[in-house]
Amino acid sequence: MKKPTPAPRSGSGRVAVVPMLLVFCLAYVLGLVSNATFLNNILSPLLMPAPRLPATTEAVPCILPPLPPPEPTPPPPPPPTPSSSPERRRMESDGAMHNMNDEELLWRASMVPRITSTPKHGIVPKVAFLFLVRGDVPLRPLWDKFFEGHEGLYSIYVHTSPDYTGSPPPDSPFYGRIIPSQRTSWGNINLMDAERRLLGNALLDVANARFALLSESCIPILGFPALYAYLTGANTSFVDSFDRRDGRARHRQFFADRNISLAQWRKGAQWFEMDRALALEVASDETYYGPVFRNGKHGVRNLEEHYPMTLASLLGWGARNANRTVTYSDWRHPVGQHPKTHNSSDVTVELFQEMRRGYGDCYYNGVVAEVCAVFARKFKPEALHALLDLAPKLFASG
């Protein structure tokens, strides 16, 4: 067999290139064969023309699995609801303390809404209990029972000695209810300052509709629902305002020279209960209180027994005041210049029935009433246990 004649070489570089091209082509073909599956399954669909969308408005379903729905946004935490918990009382108690002086306080308290109609949601009227005390409220546990379960229908304000550093427990409605206070002394005009200070603080709450001044020896002699209905349902204030012989002896020419005649001069029990209109007059009075009663040049003491009563006379309150107090004191058995003080042996159901009737017939909203008093004084601290034992019967009327 004749051997093939080798091709003539033009140079060494050409001979080296041809074998390399043959090796490359062989590797390429082997690669295509070994990757046929990849070409058929993956590459071919990608090289095919895109499918034509149908002429409908319906969306073509996606072949990919749906994404999981996004996590819902958690709702904001609900606002705290009213409760009788210590924390709630602690929050409410923040309003009892402030840094206003008397002038600023009474100025703010004197502001009244110009729109007479109440908001659509309405305002639930509250009774403001104003405690004028020297330190602690020794009969507080009885009051705690009285207030229990009636949150939102009352407010408490306590005026005490600025030296007092005690505090009721956090679970008491008295917790944190001490207002900025100043020193007081019996018979001094600073007692009337304290009463106006209590009224001023209570007037800052527009829901307070009735205002009852109480001492540390006072107790309620009706259950809360009955007492609340009695006060909020009254169309008068309850302020002793009488032209009495013992009161006339304290009238001076000083008062006559300042347009307060003897015929207008009044005297009565210090422990008042009044509506918001009269409370505003007492707290905002600039005509008589500062220039006249607080002047000091008249030399008269115990003006807390004269100022609110005489002011009601000067304002012509007339039928808008019942001219009686709803706080019973036993003056039939006085001790010096003070009414009788009751101890534990006096605490009976019969005593409270007698106290509720008062000293005889009284009028409530123009008709003779069976109940003339809803508070009573004076009870010693040692009477507390007897009062607590009797509390279920004492408050049963409510």
Side-chain angles (χ1 to χ4, degrees), residues 111 141 146 150 160 181 196 231 238 245 317 320 356 359 383:
M111 298 180 182
F146 170 75
H150 303 290
T160 187
S181 307
R196 296 178 84 229
L231 297 182
F238 298 97
R245 184 182 305 173
W317 220 248
R320 297 176 66 180
R356 290 168 186 166
Y359 293 107

Side-chain angles (χ1 to χ4, degrees), residues 26-351:
L26 180 61
Y28 179 76
V29 172
L30 292 174
L32 290 177
V33 173
S34 64
N35 289 293
T37 303
F38 171 79
L39 293 171
N40 291 331
N41 297 338
I42 303 299
L43 190 58
S44 296
L46 295 176
L47 297 176
M48 294 176 63
R52 181 174 298 176
L53 294 175
T56 64
T57 58
E58 296 181 1
V60 177
C62 181
I63 61 174
L64 297 175
L67 294 174
E71 292 291 333
T73 304
T81 55
S83 69
S84 59
S85 66
E87 182 61 28
R88 172 64 179 173
R89 291 202 179 99
R90 199 172 295 115
M91 291 168 58
E92 291 179 342
S93 70
D94 292 342
M97 268 296 174
H98 53 76
N99 58 4
M100 292 183 286
N101 59 30
D102 283 358
E103 183 180 8
E104 294 169 324
L105 169 66
L106 297 176
W107 175 75
R108 287 182 180 274
S110 67
M111 298 180 182
V112 296
R114 293 182 177 272
I115 299 176
T116 56
S117 59
T118 57
K120 290 182 179 180
H121 64 270
I123 297 177
V124 177
K126 295 192 293 186
V127 177
F129 294 81
L130 316 178
F131 288 86
L132 181 57
V133 301
R134 291 167 290 186
D136 195 10
V137 181
L139 302 175
R140 177 190 53 76
L142 180 69
W143 284 100
D144 287 352
K145 280 188 172 292
F146 170 75
F147 289 123
E148 186 176 2
H150 303 290
E151 291 78 8
L153 298 178
Y154 64 85
S155 301
I156 297 173
Y157 303 88
V158 181
H159 188 291
T160 187
S161 169
D163 300 326
Y164 175 69
T165 57
S167 173
D171 62 347
S172 169
F174 284 83
Y175 181 79
R177 301 312 300 169
I178 296 177
I179 68 169
S181 307
Q182 297 183 24
R183 287 181 175 82
T184 59
S185 56
W186 185 80
N188 195 293
I189 190 63
N190 55 30
L191 278 174
M192 196 61 239
D193 290 342
E195 293 180 22
R196 296 178 84 229
R197 201 171 293 126
L198 282 163
L199 285 171
N201 278 273
L203 285 166
L204 296 178
D205 186 343
V206 296
N208 286 330
R210 308 292 304 199
F211 305 79
L213 181 66
L214 303 157
S215 75
E216 57 200 19
S217 67
C218 284
I219 65 167
I221 54 175
L222 284 178
F224 185 92
L227 187 148
Y228 175 85
Y230 191 98
L231 297 182
T232 57
N235 58 21
T236 64
S237 292
F238 298 97
V239 180
D240 260 349
S241 182
F242 289 100
D243 179 11
R244 294 175 13 177
R245 184 182 305 173
D246 58 344
R248 287 189 168 209
R250 293 178 181 169
H251 186 268
R252 301 286 189 273
Q253 184 61 38
F254 176 91
F255 298 110
D257 293 342
R258 288 158 179 79
N259 299 317
I260 303 176
S261 66
L262 181 60
Q264 295 169 314
W265 184 257
R266 295 290 185 271
K267 184 180 186 296
Q270 174 186 5
W271 313 104
F272 59 72
E273 195 286 329
M274 58 181 63
D275 62 13
R276 190 173 182 90
L278 185 54
L280 278 166
E281 294 289 353
V282 174
S284 63
D285 173 34
E286 294 183 304
T287 302
Y288 300 104
Y289 186 67
V292 183
F293 285 86
R294 210 182 186 287
N295 188 297
K297 296 180 179 180
H298 44 66
V300 179
R301 292 174 60 80
N302 299 102
L303 286 178
E304 72 280 359
E305 297 177 352
H306 294 278
Y307 170 67
M309 307 78 187
T310 300
L311 182 64
S313 170
L314 292 166
L315 295 174
W317 220 248
R320 297 176 66 180
N321 181 33
N323 278 352
R324 65 180 178 88
T325 180
V326 288
T327 301
Y328 179 88
S329 300
D330 187 355
W331 285 103
R332 295 171 300 182
H333 307 92
V335 179
Q337 295 180 315
H338 302 279
K340 178 183 177 179
T341 300
H342 303 279
N343 54 39
S344 57
S345 62
D346 297 323
V347 177
T348 62
V349 172
E350 291 74 24
L351 173 67

